[in-house]
């Protein structure tokens, strides 16, 4: 059992799931090693900046509309506040919510706090946050600084909680603890599960929890035909909404890299069934996913009808796109499972996947379920591909891209697209994880890729004038020159 | 040391934001000895959310970093740093490397000086600065790294170049308009016959220009406080005289004053300076006159008072411009850069005599929550023009006012080489302020 809500802290992914950040080879080998638990991480001696758990924890918490998040950290750790504010505001506009800034506060730890401890300041900040916003809950995210000096965050939180009478939730997400920034998602969910979600009062038979980031509402349309109601979590929810997560009929996730811990824990602790299947991307993945969902909510017949009608609906358009995109090759760089999802969609479009880079790899998910194994699903359904696991090491990626010369570079993580542009490769950032979802998602992708390839003048011109920050020596080396150790036994 | 506030709506980040100072030097490569998320959070805040400034040559996801792990915290991270510097020298195509430390390394106490000295002993062009985030904010980080580079790598070759001036002014990336502003300063000084060594940004010459620092005739600090320490350091090291002009000159009134002050200090023939000013002013007022019909006849409400929420550079610069060139009246000015106590009286003095008979109230506050609370006390009786960051747009609406983002964070504008310094800078600011006001009527 990997999930124990009694623990203050959660086990990081390296320990819980055996997750790794270094691999290069065939996707099939990686998949085989994963299920046999013989996977070793391969470390790099040279590295470029990665990301940390603090950012991923805050990305799930910052947009809970009636909570406040306190970042117990020096001021640089709030570098992502403005971006979360932008996401919050655009999301509010789309959802017709009242437009307001994110409620994020930094304790702004300084030298004096490092010496004498930051607890007093944290207590003061919690009170201030309460007075400013009268929130329904306060989340406190930790940092490398607060972690190393050993601030008693639990102590401060308990004290404030008894005074203020609202849940105050510590989220332990120090950056140095895990190489896998997705651990921050788990940390946020751990806190929500521990202190916000309540045991169910009335079980619903049609509300479906959807663990997602902040994409558009693609589910309502699909679910309407099945009589189901989507409950998007966690961004753009309220505390009351989160309290009732235990009452849903099922939990689905757009990406199990994001939701593995949350969905498994909701099933284990509150009996909300998790839809266990490959991700709903690509035709077969969506088929399996829909059938599993239908099975859980007792809508098997409706699902079969939906599958037939949806496939018929996209058939002609899909064929047209396949013709237009024939012979094109792509390179994919994305978070683990979403990367596998993108590969499925590309394969459906008949695009050759000339290489893929995922930011980490979880050999297993928290549910230990084999049908949920997205990499195995890709390999079994679409065949083997060359796969790299690297935590945003752009020097490796640029070296690879430079060799592969794809027709399109598909990225899911900000800050990486520039490398495609500098090499003159049409580059498409997937900002909305729901964009490629289901049967319609294949069409969405195909059209967008076709548009991008049709006019690539911007990146072509740029590439003539911009310079890569890499030496000639490096671009001529094996891309995995700095990757040590062995992948398997 | 001042007691630090808690901060809502941050408008600067930590000392490690110095990475952006290095990114601004052409072909200089920052190497971070810090946690895995530090660099990307700084890039997100100080570059992307500062008008969507890009990665540049070696910013964003290209920055080498040790990505501190628990192991490095427990056993020390010196060996990791050695490895990453070694790799960076092979992989990254740069002329100059600067190691910057984050909280993890500074708390654990890694001997970074020792590790870096192993490379300097091999004649590798490399320096380091201890910029652990808890040491201060972005402005402090900028000064810290400038000091380190100067102390560790700049040597006096004995040469002095007549007319060469080192510019210490706006902080790259922290000022979203830094690139354009520095170019504008360069052009202004060229106008009176000086050669500005701007040190950062487009065509600034990269590390070569840094090596020229001791050769300058003088150092020019165009800033209320940032960079004063640097000029003092250069005076003590190389005997270079320096002049401080405490506001960034925006619009004709202030820019002409600025040019005269610099001209006097550099012993430039007054006629040359006057002639250049005359020519510039003539074209400035040609365009400013075009605005008169609109400014005088617009019937639907224009701002009654202006409120800056910005660092001391912009608060002083914009306040002087609006008061002198556009006859606007100030409300309250909020200075957000945590300017050290010793400089605050100079800053206040600048704002007390904005224009003849015009002065303004000023507060030094970095916590946006408190700033908004204070602004709400003014209510909507003034139709306030709030010049700040994107954080402040809702408040402007709430107070029936107008809003323009000019200070970080700016996520509602795209900034390439736009600038507000100088004569044409004043015209740009006029266009931007009134376009934003007009937009609010749509």
């Amino acid at each position: 059992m990997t999930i124990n809500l009694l623990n203050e802290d959660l086990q990081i992914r390296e320990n819980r799931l055996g997750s790794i950040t270094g691999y290069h080879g065939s996707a099939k080998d990686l998949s085989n090693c994963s299920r046999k638990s013989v996977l070793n991480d391969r470390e790099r001696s040279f590295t470029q900046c990665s990301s940390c758990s603090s950012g991923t924890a805050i990305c799930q918490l910052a947009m809970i509309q009636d909570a406040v998040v306190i970042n117990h950290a020096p001021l640089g750790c709030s570098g992502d506040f403005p971006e979360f504010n932008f996401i919050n505001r655009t999301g509010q506009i789309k959802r017709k919510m009242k437009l307001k800034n994110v409620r994020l506060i930094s304790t702004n730890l300084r030298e004096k706090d490092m010496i004498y401890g930051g607890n007093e300041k944290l207590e003061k900040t919690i009170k201030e946050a309460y007075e400013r916003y009268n929130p329904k809950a306060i989340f406190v995210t930790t940092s490398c600084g607060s972690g190393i000096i050993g601030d008693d965050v639990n102590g401060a939180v308990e004290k404030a909680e008894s005074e203020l009478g609202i849940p105050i939730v510590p989220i332990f997400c120090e950056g140095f603890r895990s190489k896998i920034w997705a651990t921050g998602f788990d940390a946020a969910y751990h806190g929500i599960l521990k202190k916000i979600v309540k045991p169910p009062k009335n079980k619903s038979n049609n509300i479906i929890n959807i663990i997602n980031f902040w994409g558009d509402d693609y589910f309502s349309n699909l679910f309407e035909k099945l009589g189901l109601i989507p409950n998007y979590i966690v961004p753009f929810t309220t505390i009351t909404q989160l309290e009732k997560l235990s009452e849903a009929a099922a939990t689905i996730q757009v990406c199990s890299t994001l939701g593995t811990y949350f969905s498994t824990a909701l099933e284990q602790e509150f009996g909300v069934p998790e839809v266990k299947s490959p991700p709903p991307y690509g035709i077969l993945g969506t088929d399996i996913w829909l059938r599993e969902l239908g099975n859980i909510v007792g809508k098997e017949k409706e699902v079969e009808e939906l599958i037939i009608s949806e496939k018929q609906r996209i058939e002609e358009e899909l064929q047209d796109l396949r013709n237009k995109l024939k012979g094109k090759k792509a390179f994919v760089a994305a978070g683990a499972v979403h990367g596998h999802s993108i590969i499925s969609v590309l394969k459906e479009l008949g695009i050759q996947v000339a290489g893929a880079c995922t930011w980490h790899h979880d050999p297993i998910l928290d549910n230990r379920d084999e049908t949920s194994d997205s990499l195995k699903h890709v390999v079994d359904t679409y065949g083997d591909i060359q796969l790299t696991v690297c935590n945003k090491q752009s020097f490796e990626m640029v070296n690879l891209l430079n060799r592969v010369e794809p027709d399109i570079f598909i990225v899911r993580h900000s800050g990486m697209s520039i490398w495609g542009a500098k090499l003159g490769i049409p580059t498409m950032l997937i900002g909305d994880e729901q964009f490629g979802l289901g049967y319609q998602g294949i069409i969405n992708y195909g059209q967008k890729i076709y548009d991008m390839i049709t006019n690539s003048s911007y990146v072509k011109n740029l590439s003539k004038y911009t310079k890569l920050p890499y030496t000639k020596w490096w671009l001529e080396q094996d891309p995995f020159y700095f990757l040590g150790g062995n992948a398997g036994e | 040391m001042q007691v630090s506030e808690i901060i809502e709506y941050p408008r600067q980040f930590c000392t490690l934001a110095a990475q952006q100072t290095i990114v601004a030097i052409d072909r200089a490569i920052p190497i971070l000895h810090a946690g895995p998320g530090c660099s990307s959070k700084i890039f997100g805040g100080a570059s992307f959310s500062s008008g969507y400034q890009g990665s540049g040559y070696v910013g964003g996801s290209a920055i080498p970093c040790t990505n501190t792990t628990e192991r490095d915290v427990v056993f020390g991270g010196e060996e990791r740093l050695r490895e990453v510097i070694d790799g960076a020298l092979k992989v990254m195509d740069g002329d100059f490397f600067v190691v910057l430390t984050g909280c993890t390394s500074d708390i654990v106490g890694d001997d970074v000086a020792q590790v870096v000295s192993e490379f300097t002993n091999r004649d590798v062009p490399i320096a380091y600065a201890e910029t652990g985030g808890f040491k201060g904010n972005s402005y402090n980080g900028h000064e810290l790294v400038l000091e380190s580079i100067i102390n560790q790598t700049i040597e006096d070759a004995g040469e002095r170049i007549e007319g060469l001036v080192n510019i210490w002014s706006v902080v790259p990336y922290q000022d979203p308009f830094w690139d354009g502003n520095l170019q504008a300063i360069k052009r202004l000084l060229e106008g009176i016959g000086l050669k500005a060594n701007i040190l950062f940004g487009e065509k600034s010459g990269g590390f070569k220009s840094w090596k020229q620092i001791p050769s300058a005739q003088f150092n020019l600090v165009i800033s209320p406080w940032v960079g004063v320490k640097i000029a003092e350091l250069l005076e003590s090291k190389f005997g270079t005289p320096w002049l401080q002009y405490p506001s960034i000159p925006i619009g004709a009134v202030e820019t002409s004053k600025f040019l005269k002050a610099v001209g006097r200090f550099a012993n430039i023939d007054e006629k040359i300076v006057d002639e250049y000013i005359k020519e510039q002013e003539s074209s400035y007022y040609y365009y400013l006159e075009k605005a008169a019909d609109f400014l005088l006849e617009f019937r639907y409400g224009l701002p009654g008072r202006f409120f800056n929420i910005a660092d001391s550079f912009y608060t002083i610069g914009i306040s002087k411009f609006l008061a002198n060139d556009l006859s606007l009246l100030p409300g309250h000015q909020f200075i957000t850069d945590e300017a050290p106590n010793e400089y605050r009286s100079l800053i206040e003095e600048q704002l007390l005599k904005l224009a003849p008979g015009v002065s303004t109230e000023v507060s030094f506050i970095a916590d946006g929550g408190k700033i908004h609370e204070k602004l709400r006390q003014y209510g909507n009786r003034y139709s306030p023009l709030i010049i700040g960051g994107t954080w402040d747009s809702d408040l402007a609406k709430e107070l029936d006012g107008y809003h323009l983002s000019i200070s970080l964070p700016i996520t509602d504008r795209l900034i390439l080489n736009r600038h507000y310094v100088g004569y044409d800078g004043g015209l740009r600011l006029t266009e931007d302020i009134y376009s934003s006001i007009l937009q609010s009527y749509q």
Side-chain angles (χ1 to χ4, degrees):
Chain A
M1 184 96 66
T2 59
I3 292 174
N4 184 353
L5 295 186
L6 295 174
N7 292 344
E8 290 302 340
D9 210 342
L10 90 160
Q11 270 193 299
I12 59 171
R13 286 205 183 188
E14 288 92 324
N15 300 341
R16 224 173 68 232
L17 308 174
S19 310
I20 59 155
T21 55
Y23 174 82
H24 176 69
S26 97
K28 194 172 173 186
D29 287 350
L30 179 65
S31 175
N32 286 340
C33 288
S34 301
R35 300 222 65 84
K36 287 185 201 143
S37 304
V38 288
L39 201 60
N40 293 329
D41 198 3
R42 297 178 64 184
E43 295 197 352
R44 291 169 180 82
S45 53
F46 172 66
T47 47
Q48 289 167 314
C49 60
S50 171
S51 289
C52 73
S53 299
S54 156
T56 40
I58 299 173
C59 94
Q60 286 298 297
L61 302 169
M63 282 147 262
I64 301 172
Q65 298 293 306
D66 49 4
V68 174
V69 181
I70 293 172
N71 191 11
H72 186 41
L75 200 52
C77 301
S78 48
D80 41 17
F81 285 13
E83 269 174 89
F84 290 136
N85 190 45
F86 191 86
I87 295 166
N88 189 44
R89 295 176 71 88
T90 48
Q92 285 166 340
I93 293 170
K94 273 186 203 164
R95 290 164 183 77
K96 301 193 167 48
M97 292 172 157
K98 185 175 166 13
L99 198 57
K100 56 184 171 54
N101 287 331
V102 278
R103 297 163 165 189
L104 291 166
I105 301 180
S106 168
T107 54
N108 185 22
L109 295 177
R110 290 289 165 90
E111 194 133 29
K112 204 180 100 217
D113 308 308
M114 289 296 147
I115 297 165
Y116 299 108
N119 258 41
E120 204 182 312
K121 204 165 181 194
L122 175 58
E123 286 170 26
K124 191 184 144 215
T125 312
I126 294 174
K127 275 182 207 152
E128 189 72 32
Y130 183 76
E131 279 163 25
R132 285 186 194 184
Y133 287 116
N134 192 20
K136 293 273 165 44
I138 294 172
F139 295 91
V140 177
T141 59
T142 58
S143 60
C144 294
S146 75
I148 300 177
I149 63 167
D151 269 352
D152 179 16
V153 173
N154 275 320
V157 158
E158 277 166 27
K159 197 171 152 197
E161 198 170 50
S162 64
E163 281 173 32
L164 303 176
I166 55 164
I168 301 179
V169 191
I171 306 290
F172 295 96
C173 54
E174 296 87 354
F176 64 83
R177 289 219 198 272
S178 173
K179 284 207 281 183
I180 291 144
W181 59 79
T183 295
F185 302 135
D186 310 340
Y189 299 145
H190 186 74
I192 292 171
L193 287 157
K194 245 179 109 63
K195 297 192 92 167
I196 306 291
V197 182
K198 293 185 171 161
K201 279 187 204 150
N202 306 302
K203 276 279 186 187
S204 156
N205 60 6
N206 62 354
I207 293 176
I208 310 295
N209 294 328
I210 301 171
I211 303 171
N212 80 138
F213 288 94
W214 36 74
D216 274 348
D217 176 19
Y218 288 90
F219 281 94
S220 289
N221 199 18
L222 192 70
F223 278 9
E224 203 186 340
K225 293 158 189 151
L226 301 172
L228 302 175
I229 300 165
N231 183 38
Y232 289 103
I233 52 177
V234 167
F236 302 101
T237 52
T238 60
I239 292 296
T240 315
Q241 204 180 334
L242 293 174
E243 281 171 356
K244 293 181 182 166
L245 292 185
S246 57
E247 300 184 354
T251 303
I252 60 171
Q253 39 188 329
V254 293
C255 169
S256 37
T257 293
L258 173 68
T260 169
Y261 190 81
F262 206 15
S263 56
T264 302
L266 281 168
E267 178 167 309
Q268 181 189 299
E269 299 291 317
F270 299 100
V272 182
E274 175 191 11
V275 173
K276 298 182 188 72
S277 84
Y281 293 80
I283 287 174
L284 185 61
T286 307
D287 286 353
I288 302 173
W289 176 84
L290 267 175
R291 287 192 173 117
E292 177 62 15
L293 174 65
N295 197 22
I296 290 174
V297 296
K299 305 265 184 187
E300 292 90 340
K301 198 173 137 269
E302 291 87 337
V303 161
E304 290 308 323
E305 284 165 8
L306 183 69
I307 290 175
I308 293 166
S309 71
E310 281 289 292
K311 282 185 188 169
Q312 274 173 352
R313 186 176 66 82
I314 64 159
E315 199 181 349
E316 201 178 317
E317 216 171 346
L318 180 58
Q319 199 46 53
D320 178 47
L321 284 166
R322 280 175 178 159
N323 293 339
K324 283 177 177 165
L325 294 168
K326 205 170 177 183
K328 299 293 177 200
K329 61 178 181 178
F331 190 93
V332 177
V337 172
H338 201 73
H340 309 153
S341 302
I342 295 171
I343 294 167
S344 304
V345 175
L346 295 175
K347 290 283 191 175
E348 296 286 358
L349 289 162
I351 293 173
Q352 184 204 341
V353 178
C357 180
T358 65
W359 308 139
H360 79 277
H361 181 70
D362 301 317
I364 46 166
L365 297 170
D366 285 286
N367 63 18
R368 303 288 193 268
D369 174 64
E370 196 170 326
T371 48
S372 305
D373 185 334
S374 53
L375 185 63
K376 186 172 184 302
H377 168 75
V378 164
V379 173
D380 289 352
T381 315
Y382 304 103
D384 204 2
I385 56 158
Q386 281 291 301
L387 189 82
T388 304
V389 176
C390 87
N391 48 352
K392 265 190 5 179
Q393 297 304 305
S394 54
F395 73 109
E396 274 182 8
M397 214 185 62
V398 168
N399 184 319
L400 266 171
L401 271 176
N402 196 32
R403 283 156 204 268
V404 172
E405 294 182 27
D407 297 294
I408 184 129
F409 176 39
I410 297 178
V411 192
R412 164 90 180 156
H413 201 295
S414 347
M416 303 306 280
S417 322
I418 183 68
W419 305 112
K422 285 198 185 200
L423 289 164
I425 303 164
T427 299
M428 168 170 149
L429 178 88
I430 305 303
D432 184 337
E433 68 277 9
Q434 264 100 281
F435 182 71
L437 192 128
Y439 308 103
Q440 180 59 37
I442 305 168
I443 304 297
N444 294 347
Y445 252 72
Q447 281 169 342
K448 185 140 186 216
I449 291 171
Y450 181 68
D451 285 352
M452 299 225 59
I453 294 177
T454 302
N455 187 353
S456 57
S457 57
Y458 176 65
V459 293
K460 290 275 183 310
N461 292 336
L462 266 189
S463 69
K464 289 180 204 150
Y465 291 93
T466 61
K467 288 196 182 100
L468 290 174
Y470 299 110
T471 56
K472 192 165 163 281
W473 176 85
W474 170 243
L475 295 173
E476 285 166 358
Q477 297 309 301
D478 179 301
F480 309 101
Y481 179 94
F482 290 95
L483 192 63
N486 298 311
E489 289 172 297
Chain B
M1 196 179 159
Q2 289 138 246
V3 180
S4 67
E5 307 162 86
I6 67 166
I7 294 187
E8 194 179 353
Y9 308 146
R11 292 159 207 268
Q12 63 248 359
F13 303 103
C14 69
T15 11
L16 193 55
Q19 82 170 22
Q20 295 304 127
T21 297
I22 305 303
V23 171
I25 304 171
D26 190 27
R27 293 179 54 80
I29 316 268
I31 300 174
L32 266 60
H33 184 33
C38 301
S39 184
S40 62
K41 283 203 179 210
I42 298 276
F43 170 71
S47 179
F48 197 69
S49 299
S50 182
Y52 304 97
Q53 303 185 56
S55 298
Y57 175 66
V58 69
S61 56
I63 295 181
C65 179
T66 52
N67 297 330
T68 312
T69 59
E70 190 126 31
R71 185 181 56 202
D72 306 326
V73 170
V74 177
F75 300 106
E78 289 162 23
E79 191 44 46
R80 261 303 279 153
L81 176 61
R82 204 169 276 124
E83 234 174 33
V84 170
I85 298 176
D86 203 54
L89 296 175
K90 292 191 177 97
V91 174
M92 309 307 294
D93 187 13
D95 297 334
F96 177 50
F97 298 80
V98 183
V99 174
L100 301 170
T101 56
C103 295
T104 49
S105 160
D106 284 7
I107 301 173
V108 170
D110 284 341
D111 192 350
V112 175
Q114 166 59 32
V115 176
V116 170
S117 74
E118 292 165 21
F119 292 90
T120 40
N121 290 343
R122 284 166 37 197
D123 288 332
V124 172
I126 187 167
Y128 77 97
E130 288 181 355
T131 44
F134 55 83
K135 291 192 171 146
N137 66 20
S138 308
Y139 300 90
N140 308 129
H142 174 71
E143 282 199 321
L144 254 173
V145 77
L146 297 185
E147 232 171 56
S148 302
I149 296 175
I150 291 165
N151 279 327
Q152 294 167 36
T153 63
I154 307 296
E155 282 165 16
D156 191 351
E159 188 195 15
R160 292 292 177 273
I161 302 170
E162 188 66 24
L164 184 70
V165 191
N166 301 319
I167 304 300
W168 308 100
S169 185
V170 292
V171 177
Y173 293 90
Q174 174 63 36
D175 171 11
F177 307 93
W178 66 279
D179 233 328
N181 279 341
L182 291 176
Q183 294 291 335
I185 290 170
K186 192 176 176 177
R187 283 193 299 272
L188 284 172
L189 295 185
E190 270 168 10
I192 59 167
L194 291 169
K195 187 178 179 314
N197 191 18
I198 54 171
L199 302 163
F200 302 104
E202 197 215 343
K203 290 181 189 149
S204 59
F207 193 47
K208 268 191 213 136
S209 67
W210 283 73
K211 293 199 161 161
Q212 276 204 325
I213 287 173
S215 311
Q217 184 187 334
F218 65 101
N219 284 302
L220 179 54
V221 181
I222 311 171
S223 154
W225 66 275
V226 180
V228 170
K229 261 189 187 165
I230 304 304
E232 286 169 350
L233 173 69
L234 292 170
E235 184 177 35
S236 73
K237 272 183 95 85
F238 310 122
T240 323
W242 57 284
L243 169 70
Q244 181 187 11
Y245 196 82
S247 76
I248 49 170
I250 301 173
V253 175
E254 202 52 31
T255 306
S256 299
K257 268 193 212 164
F258 163 75
L259 287 172
K260 281 182 183 161
V262 175
R264 267 198 305 277
F265 189 79
N267 289 322
I268 295 168
D269 185 347
E270 231 173 279
K271 263 192 248 156
I272 297 177
V273 177
D274 287 346
E275 213 163 286
Y276 179 69
I277 288 176
K278 202 174 152 198
E279 181 199 315
Q280 295 296 309
E281 285 186 347
S282 137
S283 99
Y284 176 80
Y285 287 107
Y286 168 83
Y287 287 109
L288 204 62
E289 185 199 312
K290 281 186 155 188
D293 297 77
F294 161 69
L295 290 178
L296 302 177
E297 292 195 353
F298 189 65
R299 297 159 188 226
Y300 304 96
L302 285 172
R305 292 286 186 279
F306 67 83
F307 296 81
N308 279 293
I309 308 173
D311 62 15
S312 45
F313 287 93
Y314 274 96
T315 303
I316 298 174
I318 294 181
S319 296
K320 286 192 170 186
F321 168 70
L322 294 180
N324 287 299
D325 295 48
L326 297 179
S327 289
L328 288 182
L329 291 174
H332 193 111
Q333 313 311 318
F334 299 93
I335 294 179
T336 56
D337 58 12
E338 303 176 299
N341 283 335
E342 63 260 42
Y343 300 107
R344 291 191 177 182
S345 56
L346 171 76
I347 293 169
E348 278 170 325
E349 201 183 299
Q350 293 295 308
L351 292 162
L352 284 177
K353 40 175 194 184
L354 276 180
V358 182
S359 78
T360 180
E361 294 167 9
V362 52
S363 300
F364 295 87
I365 314 183
D367 177 8
K370 283 216 179 103
I371 294 172
H372 284 191
E373 192 189 312
K374 205 155 179 175
L375 265 166
R376 284 193 179 95
Q377 291 167 8
Y378 284 87
N380 58 3
R381 62 194 153 129
Y382 286 136
S383 299
L385 166 63
I386 297 175
I387 301 179
T390 303
W391 294 126
D392 310 310
S393 63
D394 287 347
L395 187 75
K397 275 190 211 112
E398 186 188 318
L399 302 178
D400 295 328
Y402 312 97
H403 168 254
L404 179 69
S405 293
I406 52 89
S407 80
L408 186 153
I410 301 186
T411 53
D412 54 353
R413 302 179 66 182
L414 171 69
I415 297 157
L416 303 174
N417 65 349
R418 194 169 208 74
H419 63 90
Y420 291 136
V421 159
Y423 298 96
D424 50 348
L427 296 175
R428 283 303 82 70
L429 187 55
T430 309
E431 286 174 344
D432 291 347
I433 287 174
Y434 288 100
S435 296
S436 150
I437 289 171
L438 285 166
Q439 200 74 49
S440 71
Y441 287 95
Q442 296 307 305

